[in-house]
Amino acid sequence: MTDSTVRTTGNGGETHQTTDADHPVLTTNHGTPVSDNQNQLKAGPRGPVLLEDEVYREKINHFDHERIPERIVHARGSAAHGYFECTESLADITVADLFQRKGQRTEVFTRFSTVAGGAGSIDTPRDVRGFAVKFYTREGNWDLVGNNIPVFFIQDAIKFPDLIHAAKMEADRGYPQAATAHDTFWDFISLMPESTHMIMWAMSDRTLPRTFANMEGFGVHTFRLINQEGKSTFVKFHWKPKAGLASTIWDETVKISGADPDFQRRDLFERIGRGDYPTWELGVQLFDEAFANSQPYDVLDATKIIPEEVLPVKIVGRMVLDRYPDNYFAETEQAAFVPSHVVPGIGFSNDPLLQGRLFSYTDTQLSRLGSVNFHQLPINAAKGRASAVGCPFINQQRDGHMQMAAPKGRANYEPNSLARAGELGGAREDPSKGYVTFPSDEEGQKRRVRPESFADHYSQARLFFRSMDPAEQAHIASALVFELSKVSLEHIRVAMLANLRNVDEELATRVADGLAMELPPPSPTAAPVLDMEPSPALRIIRGPLERHTLEGRTIGILIADGTDAGELKKVMAAVTQAGGHSITIAPKVGAVPLSDGSKLKADAQLFGQPSVTVDACAVILSDDACKNLLKEGAAVQWVMDAFGHLKAIGHNAGAQPLLDKAGVELDEGVVDLGAFAKAATKRYWDREPKVRTLA
Ligand code: HDE
């Protein structure tokens, strides 16, 4: 090849130059160098295409097969690499390698997801979020495949296909995508009272997380930790976000979906790019049989929590996500999380939902990834031990579709004695280091039954609702009104109101009022409904994880021609000093002439960066620019939404007419620029009753 080649494109003989020194030679998948990547092989310039064109056929053939089946649930996801660091040894409780030494680090890959929508759906529907962590420990991979909500809809895995069919788009019409506000979902829920506790969470602000970094994560089920002596301790896992819990307001969420369907994925990518690494503490609730037996619910029932006030969460580590994947498909899409993948020192409880999951995930990978060798894909491969054959796993399993390894020797069976003859003998079991299942005593008749201890479906739903801040209670009631208003079959709404009466009379009344319906008699309950002690730890608003800070937050600054350069500089400096990240937003991005004659390249354009995409808003305008923007609906809406979404608004005098036109009323959160950085650290929940009627 020469250094510089003139290539012929298909555009009527137009040519372009490339320097080959900058690029390696393009090849086919079997390594043959390619001479022309612009034209198919033809019989004559205007003649038919020839079948022998391997370069074209291979390229299109590969393209035609680029997609694999998306996940049946949790199809829409985003992920990042990072590490887990043990901050408190659990060596007395478990032999799990990653918990042995304070300061010990273990690589992780963590994927966040929505549940119901397809892979191309929006990031911000009202939905539960998946929170799946793959720990590449030295003793094998441990997948802690949890959610951002500590309970689940159903108690027994046999109902999972029904739940998901009911939640996903309706079978005949193919909609709605990524939304539970439709007949079939609420039909199923109304007939499954065990889902009521989860419904309280699903209708709360928990299903509208601001970003992935602002979510809690939960292992949901009760697991076991097993120590050197073989003693088992029950455990529930919790991830506590360092950035604090934060959610969006429904109207804001809907607008984010239109403005940026990839809002949370983009945030994860950009956050990591800025070095603002999403971080969580890992907490454990540890307990024994005696504690379990003393509670008024069953710890094997995944529709129940153990309130933190009853059993505190002990922090034992932290997870930092500091590297975005190089390739979405190879890593995020091909990552296979399998809850049955545990390591020595971690075991399962008899939770029937967990037990059902232990079968499902490997099964689904076989249809999604298409091979029993999915564990060999780099993202799924264990990293802990380097074995004699150069891979981190070693056994006598062989062959299969897409086998990547070429194990040496004849020892594809065990036991064998080939090592005695100097040949490779392969690996052997090790009773002292190998995984040992906790030998729990089990007895009973084989029957398809639900235990009596799973019968109470309402006490914890009530506990959750009554633990909420009044603003959160209003959001739950309003979400129920919204969702049930989209239910077209009247009897389903009635059934839901009947269930809600068992949760809380006031909630049921508020929802019935919002629907303009009569309250039906309460539905029958299988067990008495208890008034449990409220758990304020469950709150987001005014709760223990609500953080008033600019750290990890994005501040939007609306500017236009003639914006005061000094004022802008001061606001940006104050935001940076407080640990925040600011972006300038202008009607035209290329060059904004400022008051001092300088020109600024704005970070974003007004139409493309509505105020829903930022956490707080500053408006710095010259008198003339403000006058022009009064005629620009996008600018008026920018400010109106900032106010309606309870955000801080900092402004200079020049911006006042725009605020007036947007209906901004003076309150604690509407401040001059000097007070803005402090005001921007929170939302103004007390403003809410002034800007919208809630149920
Ligand atoms: Fe899943 N779930 N699930 N699930 N789940 C899947 O596995 C399933 C459940 C969760 O980022 C699937 O690889 C059954 C609870 C997450 O790739 C599938 C039951 C919790 C993810 C599956 C449940 C979860 C999945 C689909 C009832 C919270 C995404 C694709 C017993 C503790 C992981 C796949 C990722 C994915 C089955 C219930 C969390 C079909 C049968 C409870 C975070 O195997």
Side-chain angles (χ1 to χ4, degrees):
M1 275 250 173
T2 53
D3 248 5
S4 173
T5 317
V6 177
R7 301 202 185 283
T8 311
T9 70
N11 302 332
E14 189 193 316
T15 59
H16 63 259
Q17 300 269 334
T18 58
T19 306
D20 289 328
D22 295 340
H23 304 283
V25 175
L26 188 77
T27 73
T28 64
N29 281 338
H30 56 280
T32 302
V34 173
S35 63
D36 183 335
N37 192 30
Q38 319 300 326
N39 303 291
Q40 292 180 70
L41 187 68
K42 304 180 194 86
R46 301 180 62 242
V49 168
L50 300 175
L51 189 62
E52 72 173 73
D53 185 355
E54 167 67 15
V55 173
Y56 164 77
R57 274 193 296 113
E58 182 204 77
K59 184 174 177 182
I60 287 294
N61 183 244
H62 192 275
F63 172 78
D64 289 344
H65 297 270
E66 275 179 7
R67 288 292 166 275
I68 58 175
E70 65 177 39
R71 291 164 174 83
I72 167 69
V73 280
H74 297 266
R76 170 83 190 168
S78 306
H81 296 271
Y83 61 87
F84 170 75
E85 183 175 311
C86 175
T87 55
E88 186 80 49
S89 169
L90 279 177
D92 53 336
I93 308 276
T94 176
V95 293
D97 181 70
L98 74 166
F99 293 125
Q100 295 309 296
R101 283 165 299 282
K102 190 173 167 173
Q104 181 181 342
R105 287 190 177 186
T106 301
E107 270 183 66
V108 299
F109 184 70
T110 300
R111 182 173 180 272
F112 307 105
S113 47
T114 57
V115 180
S121 60
I122 51 171
D123 269 355
T124 49
R126 175 180 289 284
D127 200 358
V128 179
R129 298 301 192 279
F131 193 123
V133 183
K134 189 181 283 297
F135 296 86
Y136 301 94
T137 89
R138 296 191 301 188
E139 298 281 296
N141 289 353
W142 172 37
D143 292 351
L144 181 57
V145 193
N147 279 341
N148 75 328
I149 288 178
V151 289
F152 201 64
F153 293 97
I154 49 173
Q155 296 174 321
D156 192 302
I158 201 168
K159 296 312 295 169
F160 191 66
D162 300 295
L163 166 73
I164 298 306
H165 286 171
K168 282 193 142 231
M169 58 191 188
E170 297 192 2
D172 55 353
R173 55 211 71 182
Y175 66 83
Q177 170 77 258
T180 50
H182 60 108
D183 283 358
T184 58
F185 177 74
W186 285 101
D187 186 24
F188 180 78
I189 293 301
S190 70
L191 298 169
M192 296 288 291
E194 71 201 53
S195 67
T196 314
H197 185 196
M198 180 69 167
I199 281 299
M200 289 296 113
W201 286 81
M203 294 299 110
S204 80
D205 297 348
R206 295 277 176 162
T207 44
L208 311 175
R210 177 74 184 163
T211 71
F212 297 132
N214 295 119
M215 307 192 306
E216 259 178 306
F218 302 93
V220 177
H221 314 281
T222 296
F223 290 86
R224 288 178 189 276
L225 293 177
I226 301 139
N227 73 6
Q228 198 67 51
E229 286 77 51
K231 180 173 172 256
S232 156
T233 306
F234 286 127
V235 59
K236 287 215 175 231
F237 294 104
H238 297 246
W239 292 107
K240 303 265 181 197
K242 183 169 164 263
L245 280 174
S247 289
T248 48
I249 286 162
W250 176 242
D251 179 70
E252 184 186 10
T253 317
V254 171
K255 289 173 176 164
I256 291 173
S257 301
D260 186 358
D262 310 302
F263 182 69
Q264 290 172 336
R265 180 176 298 177
R266 187 189 308 280
D267 178 81
L268 183 64
F269 180 85
E270 291 181 351
R271 212 175 259 270
I272 291 175
R274 290 199 292 274
D276 180 10
Y277 302 135
T279 301
W280 286 262
E281 286 181 324
L282 178 69
V284 289
Q285 282 177 303
L286 300 170
F287 57 100
D288 57 15
E289 290 276 0
F291 172 88
N293 294 338
S294 71
Q295 298 306 299
Y297 48 85
D298 197 325
V299 297
L300 301 183
D301 173 357
T303 68
K304 305 296 186 293
I305 57 163
I306 304 177
E308 289 184 33
E309 288 79 0
V310 177
L311 183 63
V313 173
K314 173 185 157 91
I315 302 301
V316 297
R318 68 184 185 120
M319 173 171 73
V320 179
L321 300 181
D322 58 2
R323 186 161 64 85
Y324 200 81
D326 290 326
N327 184 275
Y328 183 85
F329 181 84
E331 301 175 85
T332 309
E333 189 61 13
Q334 293 199 118
F337 292 90
V338 183
S340 55
H341 290 176
V342 288
V343 294
I346 301 177
F348 312 115
S349 71
N350 286 348
D351 173 346
L353 199 69
L354 173 61
Q355 295 277 328
R357 294 178 74 203
L358 302 183
F359 163 72
S360 177
Y361 289 67
T362 308
D363 187 41
T364 212
Q365 308 314 339
L366 296 182
S367 80
R368 224 166 64 72
L369 298 170
S371 162
V372 286
N373 291 315
F374 71 85
H375 62 284
Q376 297 186 13
L377 290 168
I379 194 65
N380 297 326
K383 298 185 184 184
R385 305 159 167 268
S387 75
V389 288
C391 64
F393 44 87
I394 176 165
N395 53 43
Q396 284 76 22
Q397 295 171 36
R398 292 291 184 271
D399 309 345
H401 193 55
M402 285 292 157
Q403 171 62 259
M404 319 265 178
K408 289 192 171 61
R410 300 191 279 174
N412 57 358
Y413 57 95
E414 190 274 342
N416 67 68
S417 62
L418 301 182
R420 276 205 241 157
E423 291 189 39
L424 287 171
R428 293 281 187 281
E429 69 209 12
D430 182 339
S432 67
K433 295 202 195 103
Y435 185 87
V436 180
T437 301
F438 178 71
S440 58
D441 294 327
E442 309 293 348
E443 61 171 353
Q445 295 176 339
K446 287 183 198 170
R447 289 172 66 200
R448 293 183 183 276
V449 283
R450 229 24 102 83
E452 267 308 305
S453 52
F454 281 33
D456 175 6
H457 303 322
Y458 293 107
S459 300
Q460 287 213 350
R462 176 179 292 179
L463 160 80
F464 180 77
F465 183 71
R466 295 194 180 162
S467 300
M468 293 291 100
D469 181 85
E472 294 175 307
Q473 290 185 333
H475 294 167
I476 293 171
S478 302
L480 282 162
V481 170
F482 172 84
E483 298 254 329
L484 294 176
S485 297
K486 291 234 176 193
V487 168
S488 66
L489 302 176
E490 176 106 7
H491 73 271
I492 297 175
R493 291 189 200 157
V494 173
M496 273 315 300
L497 288 173
N499 287 356
L500 290 178
R501 289 195 70 176
N502 296 325
V503 178
D504 185 273
E505 278 295 343
E506 192 203 314
L507 171 65
T509 308
R510 286 161 78 170
V511 177
D513 279 356
L515 293 166
M517 286 174 66
E518 296 288 318
L519 268 184
S523 55
T525 58
V529 186
L530 309 174
D531 287 318
M532 297 175 71
E533 197 60 40
S535 166
L538 300 176
R539 293 180 183 181
I540 300 179
I541 300 174
R542 293 178 264 255
L545 289 177
E546 186 185 59
R547 292 192 62 210
H548 293 175
T549 177
L550 278 195
E551 281 169 31
R553 304 267 160 92
T554 302
I555 305 304
I557 310 177
L558 183 59
I559 58 170
D561 292 8
T563 284
D564 189 294
E567 285 181 332
L568 175 60
K569 219 169 144 188
K570 266 195 218 154
V571 171
M572 290 174 77
V575 169
T576 309
Q577 208 195 348
H581 160 68
S582 60
I583 52 174
T584 49
I585 301 166
K588 295 180 185 173
V589 282
V592 188
L594 300 179
S595 62
D596 63 356
S598 65
K599 289 196 170 164
L600 182 88
K601 266 194 190 149
D603 297 307
Q605 203 255 350
L606 176 57
F607 292 93
Q609 201 79 43
S611 63
V612 292
T613 60
V614 297
D615 294 293
C617 298
V619 193
I620 314 177
L621 298 174
S622 66
D623 294 347
D624 284 350
C626 186
K627 210 178 280 169
N628 284 336
L629 285 181
L630 292 181
K631 289 176 279 177
E632 178 47 73
V636 179
Q637 195 66 45
W638 202 87
V639 177
M640 189 184 278
D641 275 348
F643 189 69
H645 301 147
L646 320 181
K647 291 173 185 174
I649 302 177
H651 67 99
N652 69 342
Q656 189 63 51
L658 185 62
L659 267 62
D660 292 341
K661 182 148 187 194
V664 173
E665 294 167 32
L666 198 59
D667 68 19
E668 215 199 328
V670 180
V671 296
D672 62 30
L673 295 175
F676 175 64
K678 180 148 196 296
T681 57
K682 59 175 186 168
R683 287 207 197 216
Y684 293 86
W685 298 108
D686 295 340
R687 190 191 291 161
E688 192 156 38
K690 282 195 259 164
V691 293
R692 75 181 55 85
T693 50
L694 291 164

